[in-house]
Amino acid sequence: MKGKLVVVSGFSGVGKGTVMKRLIEEYDNYALSVSATTRKPRPGEKEGVAYFFKTVEEFEELIAKDELVEYAKYVDNYYGTPKAFVDKMRNEGKDVLLEIEIQGALKIKDKFPDAVLIFITAPSAQVLRERLVGRGTEDEETVNKRLARARQEAEGACKYDYVVVNDVLEECVKTVDIIIKSAHNRTEDNLAIVEEIRRDLSK
Ligand code: 5GP
């Protein structure tokens, strides 16, 4: 069976990256898409692991050649999902996890109506602020821009299929896995089996 496209979004600093990492480590049916971005690498971020780091010109060439499933601008930088990896993994039956922001998520829903859209939230604004500042990877101005963006993104959460609170990490990971597994049992994905049985029975 072809793998599903799974979009995971959530406020900056909510711990989406950790949730994704745990899903990949603990279950073997997932593949994590690595995005292209024009953002500068943070300390410790490796080319091809965290992101494919591009110049604006290189990124615009990917757009021109139609090599991205979707792309968006987020706080002054481009981010996009390379097409080739997503297609290959889905054809191998893996569910492909896309950790992307809301504009990209909605483009995916338009193009692939059977994609599963999951929004991860912190239990409160206070926790969100503490996690983002505590991470220490962004300067104060960027933290504030990201919190402002979080306010906007909160309005878009209603367009997602599921909202999961990341309070206790382990529980959040389990819940996201259950949601994705359940999506494989959606009626439209499995009706063919029932239809085949119906045909056989009427022979
Ligand atoms: P960060 O700079 O913190 O790594 O990512 C900033 C935002 O860009 C996050 O919300 C992240 O989910 C989103 N993002 C990462 N890759 C992509 C992508 O390929 N497409 C889109 N639309 N958003 C992305």
Side-chain angles (χ1 to χ4, degrees), residues 81-136:
T81 307
K83 212 181 250 179
F85 178 83
V86 168
D87 289 346
K88 180 170 182 286
M89 288 298 140
R90 289 188 71 203
N91 287 333
E92 289 176 15
K94 299 266 188 195
D95 294 328
V96 182
L97 307 174
L98 308 182
E99 188 205 320
I100 65 178
E101 53 64 72
I102 187 160
Q103 301 167 65
L106 299 180
K107 282 185 210 156
I108 293 286
K109 191 76 190 174
D110 265 359
K111 270 197 190 171
F112 308 91
D114 70 331
V116 186
L117 268 63
I118 304 172
F119 191 90
I120 303 207
T121 179
S124 68
Q126 177 66 14
V127 170
L128 189 64
R129 207 172 280 122
E130 281 166 14
R131 283 189 195 163
L132 197 50
V133 173
R135 188 163 82 177

Side-chain angles (χ1 to χ4, degrees), residues 62-172:
L62 293 177
I63 301 173
K65 288 188 176 160
D66 196 26
E67 289 181 14
L68 301 174
V69 186
E70 61 72 41
Y71 69 93
K73 248 191 172 165
Y74 177 93
V75 187
D76 308 332
N77 284 298
Y78 276 128
Y79 294 81
T81 307
K83 212 181 250 179
F85 178 83
V86 168
D87 289 346
K88 180 170 182 286
M89 288 298 140
R90 289 188 71 203
N91 287 333
E92 289 176 15
K94 299 266 188 195
D95 294 328
V96 182
L97 307 174
L98 308 182
E99 188 205 320
I100 65 178
E101 53 64 72
I102 187 160
Q103 301 167 65
L106 299 180
K107 282 185 210 156
I108 293 286
K109 191 76 190 174
D110 265 359
K111 270 197 190 171
F112 308 91
D114 70 331
V116 186
L117 268 63
I118 304 172
F119 191 90
I120 303 207
T121 179
S124 68
Q126 177 66 14
V127 170
L128 189 64
R129 207 172 280 122
E130 281 166 14
R131 283 189 195 163
L132 197 50
V133 173
R135 188 163 82 177
T137 50
E138 268 87 14
D139 58 28
E140 197 185 326
E141 190 196 340
T142 309
V143 167
N144 287 334
K145 276 193 186 173
R146 283 175 177 245
L147 287 171
R149 175 72 184 227
R151 271 206 306 278
Q152 269 177 24
E153 293 203 328
E155 288 168 23
C158 60
K159 306 222 169 69
Y160 284 69
D161 301 311
Y162 299 90
V163 173
V164 181
V165 178
N166 183 17
D167 191 359
V168 178
L169 175 67
E170 216 37 64
E171 279 174 24
C172 178

